[in-house]
Amino acid sequence: MKLNQKPNRPNPLYIGARPPFDGKSAAGAGDASDELNPPADHGEQSYKGHQQLSGCVALVIGGDSGIGRAIALANAREGADVAFTYHKNQSDAESTQQLLQQEAGVRTCAYQLDQSKAEHCKQLLQQVNSEFGRLDILVNNAATQTTYQTADAIDIEEFENTFKINAFGTFYLCKYALDIIRESGCIINTASIQSFDPSAYLLPYAATKAAIASMTKSFASFAIHKGIRVNAVAPGPVWTPLIPNTMPEDKIENFGSNTLLGRPAQPSELAHAYVFLASPQASYITGEIYPVTGGRQQI
């Protein structure tokens, strides 16, 4: 680098959109990543791969949109074949698959999954292992959330459903994956800052994320004798379709402002953490919760 030449490093304060957001406009975006307003960056132009996962097969649960789409794309650009799941939004799944198919030499396949059912999770893992010939990386990323203004408003059935999808689903997939993932492989769960610093209006979601953080540490103990590492990433606020679809307008407007960066993360900014934890460079890391929170502060 020439003397006094500035490095090509963008100011982190302005990498992604900053609040205030138009709550009404964002909330009207629907549940598709492609319709999110303002749009999210999944790494389409920004993520550069370095073949850190060459020869691996990765399965990304909830890889059709948001953080999951960014993880799937990053894994592909790092040389991995990528299977991913979606729940109902086939349009998002097709968009993600088209994006991955542009990566030369990478195999990809989308699977519909209801992760609240144990047998569905077991069958999926067996199917991916059979069709791809192996499984090295499992990323548990799919989740649901609902906001509530009071404890009285929390619907019992919705509370149970949140646990079935977020916590039970993660448990099923981790449990059955231990019999399938190759030695030196890994499992990466998605916890949350809500695991440790819960917001009252997200009570059911936060409780499931605390359970996932705890399970991650327990599964790490069970898995290591097979040479499998288990870790979790704990994101702070991230601009994904989950936000405008599950939060009231006043929360959307200032979303991410309670971080040191003053903005939510873009999904692409989370992808690097998942790639690192899946890579050989993280060989001495297991049973850990890796925070990517933007220095979120309580306000």
Side-chain angles (χ1 to χ4, degrees):
M1 182 182 295
K2 295 181 180 179
L3 188 64
N4 297 325
Q5 180 180 341
K6 291 183 178 180
N8 184 23
R9 297 167 65 89
N11 186 330
L13 291 170
Y14 304 105
I15 288 176
R18 298 177 61 84
F21 300 112
D22 182 345
K24 291 183 179 180
S25 176
D31 60 355
S33 281
D34 298 335
E35 298 173 358
L36 192 60
N37 183 24
D41 174 20
H42 305 96
E44 293 91 341
Q45 305 301 323
S46 59
Y47 192 95
K48 309 299 181 185
H50 301 282
Q51 295 299 302
Q52 295 184 80
L53 306 178
S54 181
C56 293
V57 172
L59 170 59
V60 182
I61 307 300
D64 55 319
S65 66
I67 297 172
R69 178 182 289 186
I71 296 168
L73 177 60
N75 275 252
R77 289 192 176 165
E78 295 294 350
D81 290 335
V82 179
F84 70 92
T85 72
Y86 65 99
H87 185 207
K88 294 180 179 178
N89 196 319
Q90 189 170 353
S91 175
D92 261 12
E94 290 173 352
S95 294
T96 300
Q97 191 156 16
Q98 290 171 6
L99 186 64
L100 299 181
Q101 287 171 343
Q102 298 173 14
E103 303 303 316
V106 171
R107 293 178 58 200
T108 181
C109 189
Y111 301 86
Q112 190 168 18
L113 174 68
D114 179 356
Q115 70 186 55
S116 68
K117 294 180 169 56
E119 194 59 31
H120 291 194
C121 295
K122 184 176 184 179
Q123 290 172 358
L124 168 73
L125 290 161
Q126 292 172 340
Q127 186 175 3
V128 171
N129 188 49
S130 174
E131 294 181 358
F132 282 79
R134 61 186 297 150
L135 180 61
D136 303 278
I137 302 162
L138 169 64
V139 178
N140 286 312
N141 181 67
T144 185
Q145 72 177 31
T146 304
T147 57
Y148 299 95
Q149 296 305 310
T150 66
D152 289 343
I154 299 174
D155 181 79
I156 298 299
E157 185 176 347
E158 185 65 31
F159 182 89
E160 292 174 348
N161 187 58
T162 302
F163 262 85
K164 287 177 182 177
I165 294 172
N166 298 3
F168 286 27
T170 297
F171 168 75
Y172 299 146
L173 288 157
C174 287
K175 170 182 168 63
Y176 294 127
L178 293 185
D179 293 328
I180 291 178
I181 291 179
R182 296 287 187 96
E183 179 182 317
S184 78
C186 67
I187 297 172
I188 307 171
N189 297 322
T190 299
S192 172
I193 192 170
Q194 293 290 329
S195 306
F196 313 102
D197 186 14
S199 300
Y201 64 88
L202 285 171
L203 188 155
Y205 173 84
T208 65
K209 290 299 182 174
I212 289 170
S214 177
M215 279 194 287
T216 296
K217 292 181 174 292
S218 296
F219 270 114
S221 296
F222 287 132
I224 197 58
H225 75 279
K226 296 187 175 185
I228 298 171
R229 296 178 298 107
V230 184
N231 293 291
V233 175
V238 186
W239 188 243
T240 72
L242 189 67
I243 303 310
N245 281 297
T246 61
M247 287 190 169
E249 290 178 12
D250 63 320
K251 297 293 184 183
I252 299 170
E253 183 178 358
N254 295 306
F255 185 68
S257 63
N258 61 339
T259 68
L260 293 181
L261 294 173
R263 65 171 178 86
Q266 290 296 315
S268 59
E269 295 179 281
L270 272 293
H272 297 276
Y274 289 86
V275 167
F276 168 67
L277 290 174
S279 73
Q281 284 72 31
S283 60
Y284 199 65
I285 300 175
T286 193
E288 300 290 353
I289 313 295
Y290 192 105
V292 187
T293 68
R296 199 192 85 164
Q297 303 292 297
Q298 284 280 56
I299 59 172

